Amino acid sequence: MELHHEFTVPVPVDDAWRALLDIERIAPCLPGATVKEYDGKTVTGSVKVRLGPITVTYKGTAVFEEQDEAAHRMVLAASGRETRGQGTARATVTGTLEERDGTTAVSVRTDLTVTGRPAQFGRGVMAEVGDRLVGQFADCLAARLAEPAAEAAPEAGAGAVTEAGAETSAGPAEKSAAGTRAQPPAYAPAEPIDLLRTAGGPVAKRVAVAGGAAAAVVLLVVAVRRLRRR
């Protein structure tokens, strides 16, 4: 299925481009996702989806196939498999950024293939859920980008002081070790995406329609059987 979403980031396009490629920074804004490792091109992690009492976890990778800074266009190919089941998920995500009066409009087109339990909801529900999840992501990203630079400064300063002190006492070897330790931070497991709660009304309506259709079929079968008995 093909999905299309748009959102606005309250910063100029160059700043938005850098932010969206800063996986460590935006990882906490990704609903249901936990980033395990990122090497600048490939992201390894997992996504959890809750379907009522059932939680489905997909583990996989996402690879940046294209990062065109001049055109502000990126293409991400992701794939994952259920950890306890046969379900799979594959997606090719194409994002384009366009500056508009000091802010950035982000257009995201997703070619998504899902098998297993989440696939039962179909394109309509998945699109509506996607709208809400993208909205949550956009709000979280906007809040992070709006954080005063002063909040990040003490952390950078503290790190610099620590590294300088270590280099003074231990020399180049410690500096090399510090470089080796430059790994993505470990994140706490994310809360699963609650598909039913996120979709809310749309899912309930579809369930009601499906239930009504099923009831109609049952009544029809019963009526036919009674006619045959006569």
Side-chain angles (χ1 to χ4, degrees):
M1 67 184 77
E2 292 187 1
L3 306 174
H4 181 217
H5 302 95
E6 293 184 350
F7 61 94
T8 301
V9 182
V11 295
V13 67
D14 289 335
D15 293 340
W17 174 263
R18 287 190 293 269
L20 289 173
L21 291 178
D22 188 349
I23 300 300
E24 289 86 355
R25 184 179 185 185
I26 68 173
C29 293
L30 300 171
T34 300
V35 174
K36 297 294 184 182
E37 186 178 355
Y38 177 55
D39 62 8
K41 182 178 180 181
T42 302
V43 184
T44 302
S46 61
V47 176
K48 291 184 179 180
V49 179
R50 179 176 292 145
L51 301 170
I54 301 173
T55 298
V56 180
T57 300
Y58 293 92
K59 286 189 175 181
T61 60
V63 180
F64 281 101
E65 294 187 335
E66 180 182 335
Q67 294 181 14
D68 188 339
E69 185 173 2
H72 296 120
R73 181 178 186 271
M74 63 182 75
V75 179
L76 186 71
S79 63
R81 178 176 292 276
E82 284 185 37
T83 56
R84 297 180 179 179
Q86 300 300 316
T88 62
R90 296 191 307 276
T92 299
V93 183
T94 302
T96 55
L97 286 65
E98 180 182 354
E99 185 158 347
R100 296 178 183 173
D101 299 325
T103 65
T104 301
V106 182
S107 174
V108 181
R109 293 190 178 276
T110 305
D111 186 357
L112 175 66
T113 302
V114 180
T115 64
R117 286 164 286 191
Q120 65 183 298
F121 292 101
R123 184 189 182 284
V125 172
M126 296 300 286
E128 289 162 355
V129 171
D131 285 339
R132 300 195 182 197
L133 294 179
V134 168
Q136 293 175 17
F137 170 78
D139 290 343
C140 177
L141 180 61
R144 285 184 169 269
L145 292 175
E147 293 174 354
E151 292 185 7
E155 296 181 5
V161 170
T162 301
E163 289 179 5
E167 186 175 344
T168 302
S169 59
E174 181 63 22
K175 182 178 179 181
S176 177
T180 303
R181 289 196 302 270
Q183 298 294 331
Y187 300 106
E191 287 294 318
I193 300 171
D194 193 326
L195 192 57
L196 297 179
R197 179 177 297 178
T198 301
V203 171
K205 291 179 181 178
R206 283 164 176 73
V207 171
V209 171
V217 171
V218 171
L219 290 175
L220 180 60
V221 170
V222 171
V224 170
R225 286 182 177 177
R226 287 182 177 178
L227 289 173
R228 287 180 177 177
R229 288 176 181 175
R230 292 179 184 178

